Amino acid sequence: MKGEKYQTQRKSGINSLLRKLTPVAAIAIVIVIFFNKLVISKLVIARGDIFLYFFPYWRTAAQALRSGRLPLWNPDLFMGVPFLANSQAGLFYPLNWPLWFLLPTHYALNATLFLHVFIAAIGTYLAGRCCFSLGRGAAVFSGLMFGLGGYLVAQVEHVNQIQGMAWLPWFLFVICRWQPATNQRKDFVKLTLALSLLFSLQLLSGHTQTFFITAIGLVLWLSLQSLLDRTDLVADYQDRTSRWGSVIRKITLALLPVLIGVLLAILISGIQLLPTLELTGQSSRQQGLPVNEVLSFSLNPLVLTKSLLPSYEQSLFSEYIALLPLTTLFLVVIAIIFKGKQHKVRSLLILLLISLVLAFGLFNPIYHLLARLPGFNLFRAPARWLILYALTAAMLAGIGFQAIRDESRTEEFSRFLRLSLVVSLFLFILLILWGYFGQYLAPIFPIGAEVTVETPNVESVLVWVLELLLIVMLMIAILRSRNRTNIFIFGLFVLALTSLFGATRSFSYADPTTPEAYDDIRPPVARLWVTDDCDDAPSNCPLPPARFLSLSDIFFDVGDQPDIDTIYADQLSGSAQYDYTIAIKQKEIIGPNLAMAYDVPSVDGFDGGVLPLETYTQLTSLLLTDGQQTTDGRLREHLSQIPDESLMDLFNARYVITDKVGDVWRNELFFDLEHKQTITAAGEAVSIGYLPPYEATEIWILSEGKPGSLEIQTTNNLQWILQPEEVESELYRYMFPNPAELTSVRFFSCDPIEESTCQESYLLKGTVLADNRDETFYPLVAGNYRLIHSGDVKIYENLDVQPRVFVVHDWHSRSTLESSLDFMRSPTFDPALSAVVLTDSNISQESIGESVAKIVSYQPERILIEVEGDKSGLLVLTDAYYPGWEATIDGETTEVFPTNGLFRSVIVPAGAHEVEFFFEPSSLHIGLIFSGLGILIWLSVAGGLVYLDRIREQIKKSKTQSTVVN
């Protein structure tokens, strides 16, 4: 008998486990179907921020951790910035570490996207089961509509954002398990611990805006619940003051665990938050964003139709996509009509409407006021409030799904269903007509470059009509059916998933490309790896690789495009091939932030968060005109030509990358137009910095305006002064008396001997050295540059670049960054000979001396330099200054000064010395203490709860045994 009882209990336990796991398995299977190309094949997403931003950060983090180093500093972007302090890297997000250690970076990105869509769907499923008493089918439906709905999966290129958003429904799940009115301390503590853990995950994922939206959403939800749910208020309150006092106490009690959970989460996340806060104080966003930036990327009402309804063959900016199938939106209407009297349904509806209103941002007058408030003023893209719309709509759809199952056999079902169909049809027609009407309002609405107002295409309208017809047919079948209702309800499930599957096939996760987009090394990267300073690869070189500045856009054609088309024609879709081509172009120009991925440091970078540093933004304003400043880096978007050579020297920019889009062929000669020079009568001559060992017979130039004289010197010490011969419009040539190999070429506006031949100023656009004997030629570039690579793009070497570290004996102190920059704007400022130090002390010195500095060891967080000089000097390291950088001279601590606007320096006495710079930010150490304290508190409280539960169990067991004995 005991054996039979055990077998029965065992079988019952297995069945119970299977019932619990079946919905989880169903969710996983559907997500695999939607993500089939990422899960089953070796394809990857190589588009947008996931390729240009997260891949470099994840690769750098993974390499550092695998080598046993915590990456504190990033020397490859913006001439040096903190790495760990940039929370978007997600360095302490616990789910990142296993992926970094186990998978190549591009597959780790695939895995985290799939994992967090699954987490989002499961959290929504649990919230539906617990909070709204949904059946398994309805809860699975809600989970899939949120996890695979348009808003979440449209953000897959923003890895940290989707990681943070995935935890949003879990907040609803844990809150619904706690009833404030019961006032049970144990449940209160459990809820606080759960909320603190979820908030910590969001903070550590690195998308603080998601944390902020979640916190505001929870406050709104709990407040609405307290206002709308009057079941636990004292019924005999007669005066309004007493009623409102009760409501306020209820809201306060409900919000208390949220407040404590946020505070504990901030403590737990201190190891990330304190360095990030320190970085925020040093960044260009330290005072918050301007109102116009806060309001940027607001949901434009004119694209509401494309935003909310599934579109086919029509693209929309990813921030604005919140599409759900018409079936799902119909179920939302069902929920409101069938269950609208329930306070939770009303709360969901109000929260849905609030999220839409907030998402309008710029087009919502209230948001203009919110944009000036702390918290709101830190983030742009109000459209991201759509995440609350996505969750509430998915929840309401699940409630509507459940309502059909529960009410389909009731007498009122037919009347409510007809009303739902009429209301749904009216809303759909209104929304569709708005899509056509919006084009007439476009001229009066402010429309950003990312918005295209267009009418719905025929394909979308036909699919909408078909889906509406199928919805009506299924509803009629449910009304008439008595025994097969579940089949038609399941038909709604399948119809919604089919519509969602078709509408998201153009999303980046559904149309990935080849992994060669990441794995292949393009020639420009390989060329920069071959440095003159080290024979080994950069990873084995004790010296830092030289910096580059990329000025190219991606408008050029890839030379091996025909081969690419041939290879992948049968393997990839047209859009996937396009993504691969764009990835190749980005690698050719080493676009931001790919410099990190290939260990070649860049002057520039890209970030949409707390970078770049304010000092970087101010210093690079020297490159721009009319007081312009970059917001997120991306200097190439603001520069029309190569900057002045002295500034390139200042930035330690040894290489410049440009394309050939502006270059031209004239008279069968190729003219490189990247180094235009204006030559004036009052100005100095313009020289050619690099001349090849090539015997020529003439020099051809493209000139805007008639050119002046040309002075050349040959290898056999001949000097000629030549006059131009006009060949055709803007094309001139200088004929040599004899074929010669040149050592010097200088362009004048005046004849250096006969000033009477002086011409007006002219623009030297391009120069070619040619040999008319064999019709060969060699393009030349003006200034101290040498062309070292010519393929899809060109790479020039700055022949006069300042070394990464050097000593000056003439320096001046200034008390503000503005006055430092004013000093550097002076035409007499030479970064090779003098420097300006930012300090309140007067430490200026003007002297002449000779010193030599050499980097012995260069690592991101530690740099060793040997210096020898006959006089004291200022050792300048052209890496960014930042709090936490310290230095020693021969083991003795010395002060590090901000220098030349951005860089760092120390004063070194005469003689031979060893200088060491090392990065040890105090914010990290303090943050570690805070995190340790927070984790200790969390574990102590959780452990205390477990201990008390055991004590209660023992007491209960003892009482039971005593009762049995008695």
Side-chain angles (χ1 to χ4, degrees):
M1 293 294 293
K2 289 184 179 180
E4 292 179 1
K5 183 177 180 180
Y6 171 77
Q7 291 294 333
T8 302
Q9 290 177 344
R10 183 172 180 272
K11 186 176 181 180
S12 175
I14 293 174
N15 290 336
S16 175
L17 180 62
L18 288 175
R19 283 196 299 273
K20 292 179 180 178
L21 292 181
T22 299
V24 177
I27 289 173
I29 290 170
V30 174
I31 295 175
V32 168
I33 293 173
F34 272 66
F35 278 72
N36 64 89
K37 290 186 178 180
L38 289 184
V39 176
I40 299 173
S41 71
K42 294 182 178 181
L43 300 179
V44 295
I45 302 173
R47 186 187 301 180
D49 284 352
I50 199 170
F51 177 66
L52 294 175
Y53 191 90
F54 291 100
F55 166 63
Y57 270 99
W58 275 45
R59 184 180 182 275
T60 301
Q63 285 183 333
L65 293 175
R66 288 172 184 170
S67 65
R69 180 179 70 86
L70 187 65
L72 305 180
W73 188 256
N74 174 13
D76 293 330
L77 300 182
F78 300 117
M79 294 177 282
V81 285
F83 185 96
L84 177 150
N86 184 4
S87 60
Q88 294 194 95
L91 188 62
F92 293 111
Y93 184 62
L95 299 187
N96 285 344
W97 283 46
L99 301 178
W100 288 343
F101 278 101
L102 296 176
L103 296 173
T105 302
H106 41 296
Y107 292 126
L109 289 166
N110 281 5
T112 197
L113 296 176
F114 177 87
L115 173 63
H116 284 85
V117 168
F118 178 73
I119 289 172
I122 292 297
T124 310
Y125 167 81
L126 293 174
R129 294 281 288 162
C130 178
C131 200
F132 303 100
S133 302
L134 299 183
R136 289 187 177 87
V140 167
F141 184 82
S142 284
L144 291 173
M145 288 303 105
F146 179 66
L148 295 172
Y151 188 80
L152 201 70
V153 295
Q155 304 303 320
V156 293
E157 294 173 25
H158 305 136
V159 175
N160 59 341
Q161 188 174 346
I162 201 170
Q163 287 177 335
M165 292 189 302
W167 298 105
L168 178 60
W170 291 81
F171 286 90
L172 199 57
F173 167 62
V174 300
I175 280 179
C176 285
R177 293 176 63 86
W178 178 64
Q179 297 297 325
T182 62
N183 199 24
Q184 293 185 5
R185 295 179 180 177
K186 177 182 174 182
D187 291 339
F188 179 92
V189 174
K190 284 183 176 180
L191 175 63
T192 303
L193 291 177
L195 289 176
S196 66
L197 184 61
L198 292 172
F199 277 127
S200 297
L201 288 169
Q202 283 194 325
L203 287 171
L204 294 175
S205 70
H207 198 260
T208 316
Q209 187 175 10
T210 297
F211 162 81
F212 179 74
I213 291 173
T214 300
I216 298 296
L218 286 182
V219 170
L220 290 172
W221 169 258
L222 291 171
S223 299
L224 289 170
Q225 287 287 87
S226 300
L227 288 169
L228 298 176
D229 183 11
R230 302 299 182 88
T231 58
D232 56 344
L233 296 180
V234 178
D236 59 353
Y237 279 154
Q238 299 298 318
D239 61 285
R240 184 176 298 177
T241 303
S242 299
R243 289 200 302 271
W244 277 108
S246 177
V247 170
I248 291 172
R249 285 193 294 273
K250 185 178 178 183
I251 292 176
T252 303
L253 179 61
L255 295 181
L256 191 58
V258 177
L259 176 61
I260 299 174
V262 166
L263 294 176
L264 184 55
I266 290 174
L267 198 62
I268 292 172
S269 308
I271 193 171
Q272 179 64 73
L273 291 185
L274 280 185
T276 302
L277 286 174
E278 182 179 54
L279 175 56
T280 303
Q282 300 289 325
S283 82
S284 54
R285 298 190 179 189
Q286 55 188 268
Q287 303 299 328
L289 290 170
V291 173
N292 64 318
E293 278 288 314
V294 174
L295 297 174
S296 62
F297 303 119
S298 298
L299 175 62
N300 193 310
L302 301 184
V303 297
L304 197 60
T305 302
K306 283 203 300 181
S307 173
L308 302 184
L309 298 184
S311 298
Y312 302 87
E313 303 300 327
Q314 284 186 302
S315 61
L316 183 65
F317 184 52
S318 63
E319 296 285 6
Y320 303 153
I321 297 175
L323 67 88
L324 286 170
L326 270 65
T327 306
T328 303
L329 298 178
F330 167 70
L331 291 172
V332 170
V333 175
I334 289 279
I336 295 169
I337 291 177
F338 275 72
K339 304 291 183 180
K341 294 182 179 180
Q342 296 180 6
H343 68 275
K344 288 184 178 180
V345 173
R346 283 183 288 168
S347 298
L348 284 174
L349 176 60
I350 294 172
L351 191 56
L352 181 148
L353 295 175
I354 290 174
S355 66
L356 279 176
V357 170
L358 290 175
F360 286 133
L362 174 66
F363 309 96
N364 170 15
I366 297 175
Y367 212 97
H368 285 258
L369 300 176
L370 295 175
R372 292 167 169 83
L373 296 179
F376 285 90
N377 70 344
L378 296 176
F379 310 109
R380 56 185 177 181
R384 288 172 182 165
W385 288 96
L386 285 172
I387 183 60
L388 297 180
Y389 164 83
L391 180 59
T392 52
M395 281 296 177
L396 286 169
I399 294 170
F401 191 93
Q402 187 67 40
I404 293 178
R405 298 199 62 169
D406 295 342
E407 308 290 338
S408 61
R409 290 183 174 86
T410 63
E411 295 180 359
E412 294 185 335
F413 179 75
S414 177
R415 178 168 59 89
F416 280 149
L417 183 59
R418 289 189 180 93
L419 178 60
S420 300
L421 285 171
V422 171
V423 171
S424 299
L425 191 60
F426 173 76
L427 291 176
F428 291 152
I429 292 175
L430 192 64
L431 198 54
I432 293 170
L433 289 177
W434 178 252
Y436 287 94
F437 185 68
Q439 62 179 328
Y440 299 105
L441 297 176
I444 62 175
F445 267 77
I447 298 176
E450 78 285 354
V451 177
T452 301
V453 178
E454 56 183 347
T455 59
N457 59 9
V458 175
E459 293 86 349
S460 297
V461 175
L462 289 177
V463 173
W464 295 341
V465 172
L466 177 62
E467 187 174 357
L468 283 173
L469 290 174
L470 290 174
I471 291 171
V472 172
M473 291 172 60
L474 287 170
M475 290 299 101
I476 293 174
I478 290 173
L479 278 174
R480 295 181 176 180
S481 172
R482 292 296 178 183
N483 302 320
R484 293 181 293 177
T485 302
N486 288 340
I487 295 176
F488 299 117
I489 292 175
F490 182 70
L492 284 175
F493 196 114
V494 174
L495 177 60
L497 285 178
T498 303
S499 173
L500 190 59
F501 183 85
T504 57
R505 290 309 86 193
S506 62
F507 287 14
S508 55
Y509 83 90
D511 196 17
T513 190
T514 172
E516 279 73 21
Y518 291 92
D519 294 335
D520 283 355
I521 301 299
R522 300 296 292 184
V525 174
R527 181 62 186 87
L528 292 187
W529 279 354
V530 183
T531 67
D532 294 338
D533 301 320
C534 292
D535 295 329
D536 299 325
S539 58
N540 300 322
C541 183
L543 304 179
R547 288 197 184 104
F548 74 93
L549 176 62
S550 180
L551 299 182
S552 176
D553 215 317
I554 56 173
F555 298 135
F556 58 89
D557 294 324
V558 179
D560 51 349
Q561 188 67 56
D563 296 333
I564 293 171
D565 294 339
T566 301
I567 293 171
Y568 294 108
D570 299 328
Q571 302 180 40
L572 300 174
S573 67
S575 60
Q577 290 184 60
Y578 175 79
D579 287 346
Y580 179 47
T581 298
I582 296 299
I584 286 175
K585 291 184 177 183
Q586 293 289 359
K587 289 192 292 186
E588 283 282 340
I589 68 172
I590 318 182
N593 292 327
L594 293 178
M596 294 170 60
Y598 302 116
D599 300 313
V600 283
S602 173
V603 170
D604 198 10
F606 162 67
D607 205 282
V610 291
L611 291 175
L613 300 177
E614 173 66 11
T615 48
Y616 174 88
T617 301
Q618 294 293 337
L619 181 62
T620 53
S621 68
L622 298 178
L623 301 174
L624 309 177
T625 58
D626 303 325
Q628 294 183 60
Q629 290 186 357
T630 64
T631 302
D632 299 329
R634 298 181 295 185
L635 275 172
R636 66 172 182 160
E637 297 179 9
H638 301 269
L639 294 173
S640 57
Q641 61 183 35
I642 296 174
D644 184 83
E645 290 182 15
S646 63
L647 292 174
M648 296 294 288
D649 295 343
L650 173 68
F651 296 155
N652 183 233
R654 183 173 175 179
Y655 302 108
V656 181
I657 299 176
T658 69
D659 54 48
K660 298 179 178 179
V661 173
D663 298 337
V664 297
W665 285 85
R666 293 286 296 272
N667 204 43
E668 298 184 353
L669 299 173
F670 178 77
F671 287 87
D672 186 334
L673 304 187
E674 202 63 51
H675 295 260
K676 300 181 179 71
Q677 296 279 352
T678 299
I679 302 173
T680 64
E684 296 181 357
V686 170
S687 302
I688 302 296
Y690 174 75
L691 292 164
Y694 169 73
E695 189 175 77
T697 61
E698 57 201 24
I699 286 180
W700 292 69
I701 69 168
L702 276 177
S703 172
E704 190 174 300
K706 186 177 179 181
S709 303
L710 174 68
E711 178 192 88
I712 62 176
Q713 293 183 352
T714 68
T715 53
N716 54 2
N717 295 322
L718 295 177
Q719 178 176 321
W720 297 323
I721 296 177
L722 308 176
Q723 302 302 321
E725 172 192 344
E726 185 173 8
V727 179
E728 56 186 65
S729 176
E730 293 194 347
L731 183 63
Y732 299 84
R733 69 175 175 179
Y734 297 86
M735 297 294 296
F736 300 170
N738 301 301
E741 186 176 324
L742 307 184
T743 59
S744 172
V745 173
R746 295 201 301 165
F747 291 92
F748 291 87
S749 178
C750 304
D751 189 312
I753 298 176
E754 296 292 337
E755 294 189 3
S756 59
T757 62
C758 211
Q759 303 291 333
E760 296 294 332
S761 63
Y762 64 96
L763 179 65
L764 178 63
K765 298 168 69 174
T767 308
V768 171
L769 190 62
D771 187 346
N772 60 21
R773 297 170 299 180
D774 56 7
E775 297 184 347
T776 60
F777 64 89
Y778 191 99
L780 303 176
V781 293
N784 289 315
Y785 289 95
R786 176 171 68 104
L787 183 67
I788 63 170
H789 172 78
S790 181
D792 290 337
V793 297
K794 300 172 293 186
I795 302 179
Y796 304 97
E797 181 181 11
N798 181 357
L799 301 174
D800 194 33
V801 67
Q802 279 285 100
R804 183 68 64 90
V805 61
F806 56 94
V807 178
V808 298
H809 298 274
D810 174 18
W811 68 88
H812 306 266
S813 55
R814 293 291 184 273
S815 59
T816 64
L817 179 60
E818 291 76 15
S819 59
S820 297
L821 295 177
D822 288 340
F823 181 88
M824 297 171 67
R825 289 188 181 97
S826 170
T828 60
F829 175 72
D830 185 349
L833 301 176
S834 61
V836 55
V837 177
L838 182 60
T839 178
D840 292 329
S841 305
N842 184 11
I843 58 170
S844 301
Q845 173 179 309
E846 295 185 44
S847 65
I848 299 175
E850 292 187 3
S851 298
V852 177
K854 181 179 69 173
I855 294 176
V856 177
S857 174
Y858 189 96
Q859 297 174 346
E861 293 84 26
R862 191 168 298 272
I863 303 157
L864 189 63
I865 302 167
E866 291 181 350
V867 186
E868 185 172 358
D870 58 352
K871 290 184 179 180
S872 63
L874 187 73
L875 177 70
V876 180
L877 176 64
T878 53
D879 286 358
Y881 173 88
Y882 188 81
W885 273 106
E886 300 178 14
T888 61
I889 299 177
D890 299 330
E892 298 293 328
T893 301
T894 189
E895 185 174 359
V896 180
F897 297 101
T899 303
N900 289 348
L902 177 66
F903 307 119
R904 57 187 104 120
S905 69
V906 295
I907 298 175
V908 181
H913 303 281
E914 186 176 80
V915 179
E916 184 177 25
F917 289 92
F918 53 93
F919 187 54
E920 292 184 0
S922 58
S923 58
L924 176 63
H925 301 302
I926 298 172
L928 181 60
I929 294 172
F930 279 11
S931 290
L933 179 61
I935 293 172
L936 181 61
I937 292 173
W938 197 97
L939 291 175
S940 298
V941 174
L945 288 176
V946 173
Y947 177 76
L948 289 175
D949 283 344
R950 289 183 179 178
I951 294 296
R952 291 191 186 97
E953 286 294 325
Q954 291 178 358
I955 294 173
K956 184 178 179 180
K957 187 176 181 181
S958 299
K959 288 182 178 180
T960 303
Q961 291 176 349
S962 298
T963 303
V964 171
V965 170
N966 291 334

